[in-house]
Amino acid sequence: RWEILWSEPPSKVSSPQARQFTPCIRQINFPTNLIRLEVNSSLLDYYTELDAVILHGVKERPVLSLKASLIDMSDIDEDEDEEKYDCEVDTLSKRFSIVTLREWPSNGYFDKLPYELIQLILSHLSVPDLCRLAQTCKLLYQHCCDPLQYIHLSLQPYWARINDTSLEHLQSRCTLLQWLNLSWTGNRGAISVSGFSRFLKVCGSELVRLELSCGHFLNESCLEVITEMCPNLQELNLSSCDKIPPQAFGHIAKVGSLRRLVLYRTKVEQTALLSILNFCSELQHLSLGSCVMIEDYDLVASMMGAKCKKLRSLDLWRCKNITESGIAELASGCQLLEELDLGWCPTLQSSTGCFTNLARKLPNLQKLFLTANRSVCDTDIEELAANCTHLRQLDILGTRMVGPAALRRLLESCRDLSLLDVSFCSQIDNRVVLELNANFPNVFIKKSFTQ
């Protein structure tokens, strides 16, 4: 059972300075050693800068009352009834499946509305709302059961309540399902491998997009089911699925239609990845950020250059051993690249000419992240200005080798540039940022306030 301790809509903070935020959390009558934080970043201009979280507890374990120890999912306080009811997808699904409705001679004005119009109206409702509406009359029950209402289904907002029973009750309604988001769901045994497999066997044939980030219940059997039951799959997100064994990722190679694959922070190993790159030649977007099991990124980059000619975005954040050789192979073979993340790649040095080579070979680059590479220098920026005139975002956080003159040339040449991160760049002080802001008002120049 999950309890909400504090929740509020996001708000703008006028002060640019760092601050301490201490919410007044709701008291609960049971001990816990598991806290989950969800951050709403919808109003931020840039990334979330959350430095630390301090938790204050008590030294002695609280004594539980009999009432507290017997709490289950059906015990809902009257004050929390509405909030809990909205989240109880499982309970609503059960009611949805067993509800009995009386016969009425007429549906009133609903009989005068075209079927398609009612469907359009109901398409704006959330899954819990559809479950509740289905209990009103047979006509609306029919509309709420229509598979056309479940072409796109995101269960991520209800992650704390989704389990095998929820998926079972949704099966009959998801036969036309094309997009499915199960991110965050199923942890701590809520979704079993068999429950997930049963759902995909019924609802996977039309799936084009499958989001499973932070799905810690996933294992090799799940990947086998995905590759067998989802023949039309084009997008697969497995980021932070850390329970999948390294060799199991080789099953993904069977899905030759893949266009987008996210393996961020997984344990994918090199042999499996090379097999994926060899057989999934239609890949356009690939994320390998923080994949620590890959031993030779140069070999991987060479395979990308040879097999993935359609690649448009590539995330190699924190890849630990790619060198100028791998960058050269990548730039020569993947000339359609528009987005490239090489942040925190310690083995790349500007003195080898790797960044210059990128700029000259990849004229379509729109987003380039060279975060925390201290060797990036004026020459690299000038090459980008000369060759990558479609650039929209550039991150050179942490370099001491770039000066104001090179940045001005970049801003003058790249008219589409909208974001430039020069945080912790020692040659770029606040005076320079203010001057550049005045001359190039359409560019958001990010300069961290802590240096």
Side-chain angles (χ1 to χ4, degrees), residues 234-236 252 255-263 273 276-287 304 307-313 334:
Q234 296 182 15
E235 301 186 23
L236 178 61
I252 299 174
V255 190
S257 57
L258 274 183
R259 266 61 167 180
R260 174 176 170 261
L261 178 61
V262 181
L263 299 178
L273 179 58
I276 293 171
L277 297 176
N278 186 46
F279 291 101
C280 299
S281 57
E282 298 296 314
L283 275 175
Q284 297 179 14
H285 309 281
L286 178 62
S287 174
M304 290 181 202
K307 296 292 185 177
C308 302
K309 301 292 186 180
K310 299 180 181 180
L311 208 59
R312 294 185 177 274
S313 70
C334 303

Side-chain angles (χ1 to χ4, degrees), residues 113-340:
L113 292 177
Y115 190 92
E116 294 81 2
L117 181 56
I118 300 177
Q119 285 290 96
L120 178 61
I121 295 171
L122 299 193
S123 69
H124 295 280
L125 298 181
S126 64
V127 175
D129 289 336
L130 284 173
C131 292
R132 291 193 299 199
L133 185 64
Q135 301 175 60
T136 58
C137 69
K138 284 192 173 182
L139 175 66
L140 293 179
Y141 180 93
Q142 178 185 1
H143 280 282
C144 293
C145 279
D146 194 321
L148 290 174
Q149 288 291 350
Y150 302 89
I151 299 293
H152 297 173
L153 178 62
S154 176
L155 298 176
Q156 181 175 348
Y158 322 109
W159 61 270
R161 296 292 184 266
I162 297 298
N163 55 27
D164 282 351
T165 306
S166 310
L167 295 182
E168 182 179 350
H169 287 305
L170 285 168
Q171 281 184 19
S172 61
R173 286 162 263 170
C174 295
T175 54
L176 300 179
L177 190 63
Q178 295 180 12
W179 290 15
L180 174 62
N181 187 350
L182 282 174
S183 298
W184 303 1
T185 64
N187 296 336
R188 305 178 72 81
I191 294 180
S192 66
V193 173
S194 57
F196 176 77
S197 301
R198 286 193 300 270
F199 184 79
L200 278 196
K201 287 176 181 178
V202 175
C203 310
S205 61
E206 301 296 324
L207 266 184
V208 175
R209 179 176 177 177
L210 181 57
E211 303 280 343
L212 295 170
S213 62
C214 299
H216 303 299
F217 68 92
L218 294 169
N219 61 13
E220 183 168 5
S221 297
C222 294
L223 287 191
E224 289 186 85
V225 170
I226 291 172
T227 57
E228 291 173 6
M229 299 298 158
C230 307
N232 299 310
L233 200 61
Q234 296 182 15
E235 301 186 23
L236 178 61
N237 184 349
L238 297 173
S239 65
S240 298
C241 294
D242 54 2
K243 297 298 189 294
I244 302 176
Q247 71 281 358
F249 290 90
H251 293 290
I252 299 174
K254 303 172 188 175
V255 190
S257 57
L258 274 183
R259 266 61 167 180
R260 174 176 170 261
L261 178 61
V262 181
L263 299 178
Y264 168 77
R265 217 165 66 86
T266 62
K267 296 176 181 177
V268 59
E269 53 92 27
Q270 187 164 302
T271 302
L273 179 58
L274 292 175
S275 178
I276 293 171
L277 297 176
N278 186 46
F279 291 101
C280 299
S281 57
E282 298 296 314
L283 275 175
Q284 297 179 14
H285 309 281
L286 178 62
S287 174
L288 299 174
S290 199
C291 292
V292 297
M293 302 292 288
I294 299 173
E295 299 173 353
D296 187 351
Y297 269 99
D298 281 347
L299 180 59
V300 170
S302 177
M303 180 66 82
M304 290 181 202
K307 296 292 185 177
C308 302
K309 301 292 186 180
K310 299 180 181 180
L311 208 59
R312 294 185 177 274
S313 70
L314 176 62
D315 182 356
L316 296 176
W317 184 77
R318 285 193 184 277
C319 71
K320 59 184 179 180
N321 54 38
I322 194 168
T323 69
E324 65 277 5
S325 176
I327 291 297
E329 296 278 357
L330 179 69
S332 296
C334 303
Q335 297 190 358
L336 296 179
L337 269 175
E338 297 174 355
E339 301 181 19
L340 181 60

Side-chain angles (χ1 to χ4, degrees), residues 404-422:
L407 287 184
R408 289 191 191 94
R409 280 192 285 276
L410 179 78
L411 292 165
E412 290 168 355
S413 300
C414 302
R415 296 294 184 179
D416 295 329
L417 199 66
S418 59
L419 188 147
L420 175 63
D421 193 334
V422 292

